[in-house]
Amino acid sequence: MIINILAGGPEELLPDLSSYQGDETIWVGVDRGVFHLLNRNIIPEKAFGDFDSVSEEELSVIEHQVTGIKRYKPEKDETDMELALNWALEQKPESVHLFGATGGRLDHLLANVQLLLNPIKANNPVNVYLVDEKNIVFLKEAGHYKIKKMASKKYISFVPLTLDVTDLTLEGFKFPLKNRHIYLGSTLCISNELISDYGTFSFSKGILIVIRSND
């Protein structure tokens, strides 16, 4: 089972959502993202939000087409996206994709990137990806990982999320590294590329933001 969550970010930044459809896919809408899904003839199984970003007419459409609506007051401790993600993690899916989570307000973007920490904090092995038209973003804890070349996402960047990342090694990359200590704020590992079909990256301490991008 894969859970796809669509928030209300700018529609022009969305990838082709049809490529993320599947027999075992569950769609979830967040606030205005519910309306975006309905406009694409996708009826979400769940909808989360205070729905302050839709009109009364749009909300009426949502209420007539979606049965699993969880509506909240605007005054709450979690963002609508966090409420949806926490529900998704409880379902123990294979992976979760977050769409409509970039662009627009910077505070929302930064909050959504930090939400990728939630499965790590909960010791939950679910892979969570933040996806838009040009980027796929995910987090990795210390370990050894294999990564595949993607023609649609040529560039790979590694950004420390913790104060430091220890013994970062990149193999199969245009710019390899061997046991480098990378500090928070470093731009050393921005815009790398794979030189073969597969590469590996490993590190012994810290958390990395991995960003796969295209121009």
Side-chain angles (χ1 to χ4, degrees):
M1 174 179 61
I2 295 173
I3 298 180
N4 294 332
I5 302 176
L6 178 60
E11 288 191 88
E12 61 268 21
L13 296 181
L14 294 177
D16 178 10
L17 297 183
S18 65
S19 65
Y20 290 88
Q21 286 274 39
D23 293 338
E24 296 185 2
T25 300
I26 292 175
W27 285 94
V28 174
V30 173
D31 211 86
R32 188 167 185 78
V34 183
F35 196 68
H36 292 336
L37 284 174
L38 295 178
N39 282 338
R40 289 166 170 76
N41 297 314
I42 300 172
I43 299 178
E45 183 169 311
K46 296 287 182 181
F48 293 81
D50 49 39
F51 297 100
D52 60 353
S53 64
V54 298
S55 67
E56 287 297 323
E57 181 180 353
E58 290 167 338
L59 181 57
S60 178
V61 171
I62 290 170
E63 290 175 336
H64 277 86
Q65 296 193 50
V66 182
T67 57
I69 297 177
K70 293 183 176 291
R71 191 171 183 182
Y72 301 86
K73 294 181 179 180
E75 301 81 12
K76 56 187 182 300
D77 293 336
E78 303 89 354
T79 64
D80 296 333
M81 178 63 96
E82 183 171 13
L83 291 166
L85 177 58
N86 287 344
W87 174 86
L89 294 176
E90 290 172 358
Q91 312 314 305
K92 301 187 183 305
E94 177 185 338
S95 60
V96 178
H97 297 105
L98 308 181
F99 304 100
T102 62
R105 287 173 50 174
L106 269 179
D107 56 344
H108 286 174
L109 170 61
L110 292 173
N112 289 333
V113 170
Q114 292 189 80
L115 283 181
L116 300 178
L117 279 167
N118 281 19
I120 293 175
K121 292 188 293 185
N123 197 28
N124 188 327
V126 176
N127 294 309
V128 181
Y129 304 92
L130 190 157
V131 184
D132 66 20
E133 184 184 22
K134 292 184 175 296
N135 307 279
I136 299 173
V137 183
F138 55 96
L139 302 186
K140 285 298 183 184
E141 294 183 276
H144 187 278
Y145 304 97
K146 188 175 184 179
I147 190 164
K148 184 180 180 180
K149 179 183 284 190
M150 294 176 62
S152 62
K153 299 290 183 292
K154 176 181 178 181
Y155 302 108
I156 305 175
S157 296
F158 300 93
V159 180
L161 185 60
T162 47
L163 285 176
D164 54 11
V165 169
T166 304
D167 297 326
L168 179 59
T169 296
L170 306 178
E171 297 180 335
F173 285 82
K174 183 177 181 179
F175 306 107
L177 286 180
K178 182 69 172 179
N179 296 332
R180 289 292 295 270
H181 198 152
I182 309 300
Y183 294 93
L184 186 64
S186 170
T187 59
L188 174 65
C189 298
I190 299 298
S191 199
N192 211 330
E193 301 174 40
L194 287 168
I195 58 175
S196 55
D197 289 341
Y198 290 91
T200 62
F201 66 97
S202 61
F203 55 107
S204 61
K205 178 185 176 183
I207 298 175
L208 276 178
I209 305 173
V210 184
I211 307 171
R212 310 201 65 165
S213 307
N214 64 293
D215 289 322

